[in-house]
Amino acid sequence: MKCSNWEKMKNAFVATIPVMAGYIVLGIGFGMVLRTRDYGVLWALAMSVFIYAGSMQYVAIDLLTGGVSLITAALTTLAVNARHLFYSISMIDKYRNQKKKPFLIFGLTDETYSLVCSDAAEKSKDSSSYYFLVTLFDYLYWITGSVIGSLLGSLLPFRTEGIDFALTALFLTVFVEQWLTSKNHLAAIIGVVSSVICLLIFGSDHFLIPAMLLITLLLTLMRNKEGITNE
Amino acid sequence: MNNMHAILLIAVISAVTMLLRFLPFWIFGNNRETPKFINYLGKVLPYAIMGMLVVFCLKGVSLLASPHGLPELISCAVVVVLHIWKRNTPLSIVCGTVCYMLLVQLVF
């Protein structure tokens, strides 16, 4: 029994290694920037523990130092994090009977989603503990990174420039894997093409929400196309 | 900027983030049967959203200014080719990332 628990931990850990690289680096970056605005380690810790949303926390640094109104903060968060609605919708069935469901939902970030939505997660022998451990590990990496960044400031001895590409590589790998294991690529193509079109029209700061609307619209129109769900 | 307002801001940002993550579960999670349409979205969205996230990660790349997105293009190609060839997720990610770091630190 001990051995199999050990194995579960090991499998989940191996799966989260790319997220570890990305989260620790991005977390360190977050902690460092926050420190330069005179918000120390307790602020970094509190934000990572309670907000736990990478890109939103970077945006939040500006909201904090700009002293914006609570309404502005709420609307900005809605805009930046609306994509999380999608992650939850696609995990409703898989998380339906999970014991630690509230924690799994709390920790459903982009990166954790990319690990738990894959078929590999479902096919692993004990998907419940895989979901939980992956979510927990990712959460700890992010908190650890932001605390380290806040404490060390700019004293880190090695050049990490470019290491955040690990997250791009992670999403791309999942995308390729999904492509190779599915017959129908319509949904994948809709995702890429809609995003690129909206990026060109609305620019890099404002394209996410239009892209999500366009994706939903196109997928809705195609819902009777045979084979689109790959089942 | 006083600390109380900063704490309230963090509370609001946290609450809205959690609302977005929990809302679909509150609305559809307790029904015995998830509506067909939501079920359908749940099945096709992962494919589409992963494509969106890749574009999201690359959104800052400028094709017009030097180095014209070459580090990203090369590293993404490494990831894709290596993954099709070996089907080993950690290997694809590590090689792609090391390739990108070498390119941006030493070459471009």
Side-chain angles (χ1 to χ4, degrees), chain A residues 90-155:
Chain A
S90 62
M91 293 308 289
I92 286 175
D93 271 345
K94 287 181 185 171
Y95 280 0
R96 184 177 298 278
N97 295 315
Q98 300 294 326
K99 281 192 196 119
K100 294 163 179 119
K101 194 166 156 184
F103 177 69
L104 297 181
I105 301 172
F106 164 81
L108 203 51
T109 58
D110 306 85
E111 291 76 11
T112 303
Y113 172 74
S114 73
L115 296 178
V116 295
C117 79
S118 66
D119 283 346
E122 218 170 347
K123 282 171 192 152
S124 73
K125 281 175 204 148
D126 182 351
S127 54
S128 289
S129 55
Y130 178 87
Y131 292 143
F132 173 70
L133 289 171
V134 163
T135 307
L136 179 68
F137 288 164
D138 288 356
Y139 188 41
L140 295 178
Y141 301 148
W142 178 250
I143 294 172
T144 307
S146 49
V147 168
I148 293 175
S150 182
L151 291 177
L152 293 191
S154 52
L155 297 174

Side-chain angles (χ1 to χ4, degrees), chain A residues 14 18 39 43 46-47 50-53 55-56 60 63-70 73-74 77-78 81-93 95-96 101-102 105-110 113-114 117 119 159-178 180-182 187-188 190-192 195-196 199 204-205 207-208 211-212 215-216 219-220 222-223 228-231, chain B residues 1-61 63 71-106 108:
Chain A
V14 170
Y39 287 94
W43 291 98
M47 288 173 75
F50 293 113
I51 301 176
Y52 188 37
S55 45
M56 186 59 221
L63 299 182
L64 236 62
T65 47
V68 300
S69 71
L70 298 180
T77 312
L78 267 183
N81 280 343
R83 65 186 186 284
H84 291 272
L85 282 172
F86 284 31
Y87 305 156
S88 293
I89 287 173
S90 62
M91 293 308 289
I92 286 175
D93 271 345
Y95 280 0
R96 184 177 298 278
K101 194 166 156 184
I105 301 172
F106 164 81
L108 203 51
T109 58
D110 306 85
Y113 172 74
S114 73
C117 79
D119 283 346
R159 274 190 82 186
T160 54
E161 189 192 348
I163 201 174
D164 49 338
F165 189 80
L167 297 180
T168 314
L170 168 68
F171 297 140
L172 191 57
T173 309
V174 176
F175 182 80
V176 173
E177 183 64 32
Q178 287 181 342
L180 295 174
T181 50
S182 60
I190 286 176
V192 173
S195 306
V196 171
L199 178 61
S204 60
D205 290 337
F207 84 100
L208 262 187
M212 286 185 290
I215 286 170
T216 313
L219 288 175
T220 306
M222 307 273 182
R223 71 184 177 284
I228 189 171
T229 57
N230 281 299
E231 287 199 318
Chain B
M1 180 73 192
N2 62 58
N3 283 347
M4 196 57 218
H5 189 70
I7 290 171
L8 285 175
L9 280 176
I10 293 173
V12 166
I13 295 167
S14 169
V16 175
T17 304
M18 288 313 132
L19 180 75
L20 289 166
R21 287 182 191 158
F22 278 87
L23 197 63
F25 286 92
W26 287 336
I27 297 175
F28 305 113
N30 293 323
N31 298 356
R32 260 177 224 128
E33 194 104 353
T34 315
K36 247 186 173 173
F37 176 62
I38 296 300
N39 220 333
Y40 162 74
L41 279 185
K43 277 175 196 147
V44 288
L45 277 177
Y47 299 100
I49 292 300
M50 217 43 68
M52 186 187 85
L53 282 175
V54 173
V55 177
F56 179 69
C57 279
L58 298 171
K59 67 177 181 172
V61 177
L63 297 177
E72 287 80 8
L73 189 71
I74 295 168
S75 309
C76 284
V78 167
V79 172
V80 172
V81 171
L82 201 57
H83 197 71
I84 293 173
W85 181 31
K86 292 284 183 186
R87 296 292 281 271
N88 179 330
T89 300
L91 183 78
S92 311
I93 293 168
V94 169
C95 292
T97 307
V98 169
C99 168
Y100 184 76
M101 289 174 75
L102 292 175
L103 287 176
V104 293
Q105 290 187 17
L106 304 175
F108 292 100

